[in-house]
Amino acid sequence: MKNNIIYIFCALFMQNIIAQKPQTPTPSEIYFKIEKLNVLASAMYIAAHPDDENTRLITYLTHHDKAYTNYLSLTRGNGGQNLISNELGTDLGIIRTNELWNARNIDGGKQFFSTADDFGFSKHPKEAFEKWDKHLLLKQMVYMIRKEQPDVIVNRFDHRTEETTHGHHTASAQLSKLTFTLANDKNYKDLSQENTEMWQPKRLFFNVSWFFFGSKQAFDKADKSKYIPLNIGVFYNQLGKNNQEIASLSRSQHQSQGFGDISSRGEEIDYVELVDGDAIKGSNLFEGVDTSWNRIKGGNNIQPLVTQLINEYDFKDPSKSTNLLTKIYVEIDKLPETIWKTRKQNEVKELIKNCAGLFLDITTNEPYTTPNENVDVKVEVANRSNQNIVIKDVIINNQKIIVGKSLADQDVYYDYFQTKFTNQDYTNFKFIDNFNDFKNQFNLTKKNEIGIQVNDVYLSYTLPIQYHYKDVVKGEIYKPFHVVPAISVRFNQSTYITNNNQNQKIEVTTDNYSKENIKGFLSIINSKNEEVYQKEITLNESEKNNTITINKNFLNGTYQAHFKQNTNTYNNEIKWVDYSHIPLNYYLKDSETKVVSFNKSVLKKSKIGYIVGAGDEIPQVLKDVGYNVDFINLETVKAEDLSKYETIIVGIRAFNTESSLKTKNKLLFDYVKNGGTVIVQYQTNVPLKTEEIAPYKIKIGRTRITDENAVVNFINPNETVLNKPFKITQENFKNWVQEQGLYYADDFAGEFQPVFTSHDFDEKETNGALLIAKHGKGHYIYTGLSFFRQLPSGNTGALELFINLIELKNE
């Protein structure tokens, strides 16, 4: 075996490649792709968030119409909620991004994003445009339309529905409507420095759905005369699935949002409404568009060859199509440069690989590496056809190696190459935050390639390096291979609550990802860039979870942790985002924490029970304050088990996620009746495991206060919960993050007493944010206030109010 040393810089890895063993499609699946080769149609679907897209329509466009289809999600969904863990913000954005990539790999679409940030729910597009750079988004969308040249654009949302849906939704449709004409406007100056060709899509549609009418029943009764019906209940014989079955698999990738879907069969109708562009007579969205090879100059030479390919395809031996496919590739190469030339050449190249049964793989037996370490990379090529395949060259980490190896039927080639990466090659996940990043989505990163020759035609295939290993239970496993910094340093908590300037125990954990011992200094730096702590430590090779405990009087403020080794300073945590349904990712997170001084002496209760729902970080905050917090196992808990707790807290969305609460809710009601306090945090109104979330009638709505600094008006300022142990004032509602609250109670029994009212700008007052009911000897509380965001961020005003709820005295 050769042992080639490669020292070279490389770009970011292809983050949207799903880590998996190279797949060979079935003969029927190959034939389906060959049929698509004869269609030159393209579509673009536009919405605001991951999971906004209608996977049924995207599947219909890619499979029934065989159109090249993009989905542009303006945001990553990082401002939403998470049903599978307590990770929010950046972590959630990474989860939802990968869920979208998974979905597109199933329904056949291509995925793109803009620079728009999901800052949380907004009620009006005006608010969205106050926080988004509207001109930058228009520039990106015009660029994408000109670059991708869609024949039709489909908006998920209606540009006319201001104040009736999420402001991001309406804003996405309004931006789309503007760019529909701007893309072909020669006077549009924002792209004057870009080499883009003006483009006018044929039509712009709004994808109508029943939820815009409030219910399916209301939609059934609605006048649909202005809508275009699409029968999406198509069965694809070659695939053995119908449109809805594929779409439901795609939709079910959005696990963090709880959108697991059930497939359906038979005729189903989806609707679109023409918003702009040419009128349409039938249900063909591409009516009047020449989707044949005739739409490009010289394409008439390709059409008969593709027709011949379809007619002569042998399901028993797809490799017989290889010769004709290489001829088609050469003929397409003669065409003038257009987007369709690029797309169709890529399709033909993939078909050649599939028909020849080529197995192409670039792997390593290491999960990660750090800069300047040697990595052995294995390249494997298997020819499983009677075609003579010549391996011309291999590119590893941008370094080309000439191979010149001929492979006959069933021959397998493999070799090992050694390479090194630099700190420019980190594979950390990065969000798009500028126009250049946006444009880079349209350029395939080519760092690792295998070049082969078939019938004297040279073809190169781009692949990621993957971590390949054997799991004794699961068997063969592929995961993304990563380049990471040598050292990760992190505080074990994002916020520490200290008791009025007394010594605070802070823990800092370091991880050594390198293959050598590293000696250096761990330092704690305050916000004035002053070093307040230093300790020399040695990290053994590959040593993880080395925790340093620091007892010190930390003043209020933010602190950073640094690990200094000679001229290198590491001040980031390698934050892994690891779930079984998405590829393994990491991002670099500032090693930072906040120290908050708080008077813990006011606490009278000590024992708290916590029922975990979708997951949040409040239990850790309560432990820091001084409470003993136990997690309650709903499967085994009995009434007598609850009596030891002075207050029980129900985590966010527990009534949405915990089936046991269908029956165990009665234990909570009895616990309160006997003198306990129960605090139920926000629950979504659908789907609830039970409507009985309280001993009295309460109906959760969709009311929320998106203004995190909205003024509150106390209904009864003398009420106990506003005075003991802390005096609650308007000051307690300052400096909240993202929102004041969500999923307030819209209707409730008279036993519930609202504590305050508040409202968003130009809206009426709402009083369902915090409700307290006496039940027997105790109190039952429902609150939609976003404590799950405020407490982990160190907001003492919100913490004081939450403690007042916990400390409510019962009879």
Side-chain angles (χ1 to χ4, degrees):
M1 297 298 172
K2 291 183 295 184
N3 199 35
N4 298 285
I5 307 295
I6 305 169
Y7 300 87
I8 197 75
F9 290 97
C10 76
L12 289 175
F13 283 78
M14 293 180 291
Q15 295 278 3
N16 57 341
I17 296 294
I18 301 301
Q20 63 178 8
K21 181 179 180 179
Q23 303 294 309
T24 302
T26 66
S28 292
E29 291 169 338
I30 294 173
Y31 184 73
F32 193 84
K33 292 181 179 182
I34 289 176
E35 286 185 318
K36 189 172 183 178
L37 194 59
N38 233 352
V39 180
L40 282 72
S42 66
M44 184 182 297
Y45 200 91
I46 296 176
H49 310 103
D51 77 48
D52 280 347
E53 84 278 24
N54 180 357
T55 58
R56 303 196 315 175
L57 185 53
I58 289 179
T59 304
Y60 181 83
L61 289 167
T62 58
H63 287 68
H64 174 266
D65 293 329
K66 295 182 170 57
Y68 185 95
T69 305
N70 297 316
Y71 173 43
L72 174 62
S73 173
L74 294 188
T75 76
R76 307 284 182 141
N78 48 292
Q81 281 78 51
N82 185 359
L83 200 63
I84 60 175
S85 75
N86 62 359
E87 292 184 308
L88 300 173
T90 299
D91 300 69
L92 179 58
I94 294 172
I95 293 169
R96 297 183 73 179
T97 295
N98 281 272
E99 288 175 342
L100 269 185
W101 282 330
N102 283 352
R104 297 296 80 76
N105 279 319
I106 292 171
D107 61 35
K110 311 295 180 183
Q111 186 62 53
F112 295 89
F113 298 93
S114 82
T115 58
D117 177 46
D118 183 8
F119 55 83
F121 191 90
S122 68
K123 296 182 177 179
H124 198 283
K126 179 182 177 182
E127 181 186 4
F129 292 133
E130 286 173 352
K131 299 188 178 184
W132 291 348
D133 186 335
K134 184 177 181 179
H135 294 292
L136 177 59
L137 293 180
L138 284 173
K139 180 179 179 180
Q140 292 168 27
M141 293 173 72
V142 170
Y143 179 88
M144 183 170 179
I145 292 172
R146 292 181 178 181
K147 186 79 173 176
E148 293 295 293
Q149 300 179 7
D151 298 312
V152 298
I153 296 176
V154 182
N155 291 341
R156 185 48 170 148
F157 300 104
D158 191 345
H159 64 284
R160 300 157 293 196
T161 54
E162 294 186 349
E163 298 185 274
T164 61
T165 183
H166 198 319
H168 295 178
H169 294 169
T170 308
S172 70
Q174 291 177 346
L175 288 167
S176 178
K177 191 172 189 309
L178 288 170
T179 54
F180 182 77
T181 53
L182 284 176
N184 199 39
D185 185 351
K186 63 181 181 181
N187 295 316
Y188 180 70
K189 304 296 184 184
D190 283 11
L191 291 175
S192 58
Q193 302 300 315
E194 303 295 333
N195 184 24
T196 58
E197 179 183 347
M198 288 189 296
W199 181 258
Q200 181 58 65
K202 192 77 169 178
R203 298 180 183 92
L204 173 65
F205 297 101
F206 158 47
N207 186 191
V208 187
S209 183
W210 65 263
F211 56 76
F212 295 107
F213 291 77
S215 68
K216 291 182 179 180
Q217 293 76 13
F219 186 53
D220 289 340
K221 298 175 183 178
D223 178 14
K224 303 181 187 64
S225 59
K226 64 179 179 180
Y227 303 144
I228 301 161
L230 304 173
N231 182 9
I232 62 161
V234 184
F235 181 71
Y236 305 113
N237 292 288
Q238 298 97 322
L239 305 180
K241 292 184 178 68
N242 71 342
N243 196 83
Q244 301 96 308
E245 289 173 318
I246 297 170
S248 69
L249 291 173
S250 174
R251 185 68 174 166
S252 297
Q253 299 308 303
H254 296 297
Q255 294 185 23
S256 66
Q257 305 307 296
F259 284 146
D261 196 23
I262 296 178
S263 62
S264 60
R265 282 143 291 279
E267 181 177 291
E268 286 191 39
I269 305 298
D270 234 53
Y271 293 90
V272 294
E273 177 186 1
L274 182 66
V275 173
D276 207 341
D278 293 357
I280 184 171
K281 295 179 181 178
S283 294
N284 177 12
L285 303 187
F286 300 91
E287 183 180 293
V289 178
D290 187 350
T291 61
S292 73
W293 282 95
N294 291 327
R295 79 178 296 174
I296 57 176
K297 185 178 180 180
N300 56 336
N301 296 325
I302 311 296
Q303 187 86 59
L305 294 175
V306 176
T307 302
Q308 180 186 352
L309 180 71
I310 293 172
N311 292 336
E312 295 180 356
Y313 181 73
D314 188 343
F315 284 86
K316 292 183 178 180
D317 187 2
S319 67
K320 292 180 179 179
S321 295
T322 307
N323 291 336
L324 187 51
L325 280 166
T326 54
K327 182 178 180 181
I328 292 172
Y329 186 90
V330 172
E331 289 301 315
I332 294 176
D333 199 49
K334 297 176 183 178
L335 299 178
E337 294 301 322
T338 65
I339 191 169
W340 283 113
K341 175 183 177 179
T342 302
R343 285 172 178 166
K344 291 304 175 181
Q345 268 200 314
N346 287 335
E347 288 178 25
V348 173
K349 187 170 70 171
E350 190 68 15
L351 282 167
I352 292 171
K353 178 168 73 75
N354 293 338
C355 287
L358 276 174
F359 181 92
L360 307 175
D361 209 11
I362 303 178
T363 61
T364 178
N365 61 1
E366 300 178 44
Y368 54 79
T369 189
T370 62
N372 302 314
E373 289 184 337
N374 289 327
V375 180
D376 290 323
V377 177
K378 178 183 178 182
V379 175
E380 181 177 355
V381 181
N383 178 16
R384 295 173 290 190
S385 73
N386 55 15
Q387 291 286 330
N388 183 50
I389 305 295
V390 179
I391 307 171
K392 299 293 291 184
D393 50 55
V394 171
I395 297 176
I396 302 296
N397 201 7
N398 281 344
Q399 179 71 30
K400 180 179 283 191
I401 305 102
I402 303 300
V403 177
K405 172 73 174 178
S406 181
L407 293 183
D409 187 9
Q410 302 304 314
D411 276 357
V412 179
Y413 161 89
Y414 68 90
D415 205 346
Y416 291 88
F417 305 91
Q418 198 173 82
T419 186
K420 285 185 178 183
F421 297 92
T422 75
N423 58 8
Q424 301 298 313
D425 305 323
Y426 291 151
T427 55
N428 55 303
F429 187 100
K430 293 181 180 179
F431 287 102
I432 297 169
D433 61 8
N434 58 62
F435 184 62
N436 284 332
D437 285 347
F438 176 81
K439 291 193 299 180
N440 286 338
Q441 294 178 98
F442 303 91
N443 303 314
L444 179 64
T445 303
K446 296 183 177 182
K447 304 175 306 302
N448 313 292
E449 298 181 59
I450 298 176
I452 66 167
Q453 184 174 289
V454 185
N455 295 333
D456 296 324
V457 177
Y458 179 81
L459 305 167
S460 65
Y461 293 90
T462 301
L463 297 97
I465 299 175
Q466 298 192 87
Y467 169 42
H468 181 213
Y469 67 100
K470 181 184 77 173
D471 183 283
V472 294
V473 175
K474 298 178 181 179
E476 190 174 34
I477 302 293
Y478 281 79
K479 286 187 177 182
F481 169 73
H482 285 288
V483 181
V484 302
I487 302 296
S488 169
V489 57
R490 70 183 185 275
F491 289 99
N492 286 11
Q493 294 178 209
S494 60
T495 302
Y496 287 91
I497 299 176
T498 183
N499 192 6
N500 282 357
N501 296 327
Q502 295 179 10
N503 277 3
Q504 171 65 46
K505 183 176 75 172
I506 287 180
E507 293 180 326
V508 179
T509 296
T510 54
D511 300 312
N512 182 1
Y513 285 87
S514 74
K515 298 174 183 175
E516 61 180 24
N517 296 341
I518 296 180
K519 186 176 182 179
F521 292 90
L522 176 66
S523 300
I524 306 299
I525 312 296
N526 66 18
S527 57
K528 297 178 182 179
N529 204 31
E530 299 168 337
E531 188 175 69
V532 297
Y533 174 87
Q534 185 186 87
K535 181 178 181 179
E536 186 177 25
I537 58 175
T538 298
L539 302 176
N540 297 325
E541 62 175 278
S542 303
E543 180 183 6
K544 305 294 190 300
N545 296 315
N546 178 58
T547 301
I548 306 297
T549 301
I550 306 167
N551 282 289
K552 182 179 173 57
N553 183 4
F554 287 95
L555 301 178
N556 278 1
T558 58
Y559 295 85
Q560 289 188 338
H562 293 182
F563 182 84
K564 299 177 182 178
Q565 177 223 12
N566 298 327
T567 59
N568 297 322
T569 297
Y570 300 93
N571 56 4
N572 292 121
E573 172 189 352
I574 299 175
K575 180 65 170 67
W576 294 99
V577 181
D578 188 7
Y579 292 87
S580 60
H581 72 295
I582 62 173
L584 178 66
N585 289 266
Y586 82 89
Y587 68 99
L588 296 180
K589 182 179 181 181
D590 289 341
S591 301
E592 188 172 277
T593 193
K594 181 190 293 186
V595 175
V596 177
S597 180
F598 192 80
N599 181 9
K600 303 179 182 181
S601 63
V602 300
L603 307 184
K604 303 301 180 186
K605 296 182 180 180
S606 61
K607 197 77 170 173
I608 306 296
Y610 207 95
I611 297 173
V612 177
D616 60 70
E617 298 178 31
I618 287 181
Q620 183 60 55
V621 176
L622 298 182
K623 290 178 182 179
D624 288 348
V625 170
Y627 290 112
N628 295 313
V629 182
D630 289 343
F631 292 107
I632 296 175
N633 186 337
L634 287 173
E635 296 294 327
T636 59
V637 70
K638 297 178 182 178
E640 54 268 27
D641 299 327
L642 300 183
S643 61
K644 63 184 178 183
Y645 300 116
E646 295 164 280
T647 294
I648 294 174
I649 301 169
V650 179
I652 60 174
R653 299 174 83 167
F655 278 97
N656 302 114
T657 63
E658 301 301 315
S659 297
S660 296
L661 282 173
K662 291 179 182 178
T663 55
K664 298 297 175 73
N665 58 345
K666 302 297 193 301
L667 295 183
L668 293 178
F669 304 161
D670 290 341
Y671 164 79
V672 173
K673 196 172 183 179
N674 292 327
T677 297
V678 167
I679 303 170
V680 179
Q681 297 181 78
Y682 97 87
Q683 314 291 313
T684 62
N685 50 2
V686 289
L688 286 166
K689 299 297 183 182
T690 174
E691 297 290 333
E692 291 185 84
I693 68 169
Y696 305 113
K697 173 191 169 185
I698 183 171
K699 183 178 181 181
I700 301 169
R702 298 185 66 84
T703 302
R704 61 175 76 203
I705 303 298
T706 60
D707 180 2
E708 56 267 40
N709 294 310
V711 174
V712 301
N713 297 297
F714 301 113
I715 296 172
N716 179 10
N718 296 320
E719 192 169 352
T720 302
V721 75
L722 298 176
N723 292 278
K724 294 181 180 180
F726 296 102
K727 176 68 175 178
I728 305 300
T729 68
Q730 182 63 44
E731 290 295 313
N732 291 81
F733 289 86
K734 289 185 176 180
N735 302 314
W736 285 40
V737 295
Q738 187 160 317
E739 67 211 351
Q740 193 174 89
L742 63 169
Y743 292 100
Y744 290 180
D746 283 352
D747 188 22
F748 45 87
E751 285 84 356
F752 279 109
Q753 297 300 311
V755 176
F756 64 83
T757 64
S758 63
H759 66 91
D760 274 329
F761 175 76
D762 207 24
E763 289 190 358
K764 65 179 182 180
E765 296 274 356
T766 182
N767 64 355
L770 179 56
L771 306 174
I772 301 176
K774 289 183 178 180
H775 182 58
K777 298 178 181 179
H779 292 96
Y780 202 92
I781 301 166
Y782 177 80
T783 178
L785 292 173
S786 61
F787 288 114
F788 73 103
R789 295 192 193 278
Q790 314 313 321
L791 270 58
S793 71
N795 188 312
T796 55
L799 178 57
E800 287 178 349
L801 177 56
F802 200 77
I803 288 175
N804 280 15
L805 296 175
I806 292 174
E807 294 289 330
L808 268 178
K809 287 187 176 181
N810 299 318
E811 296 178 22

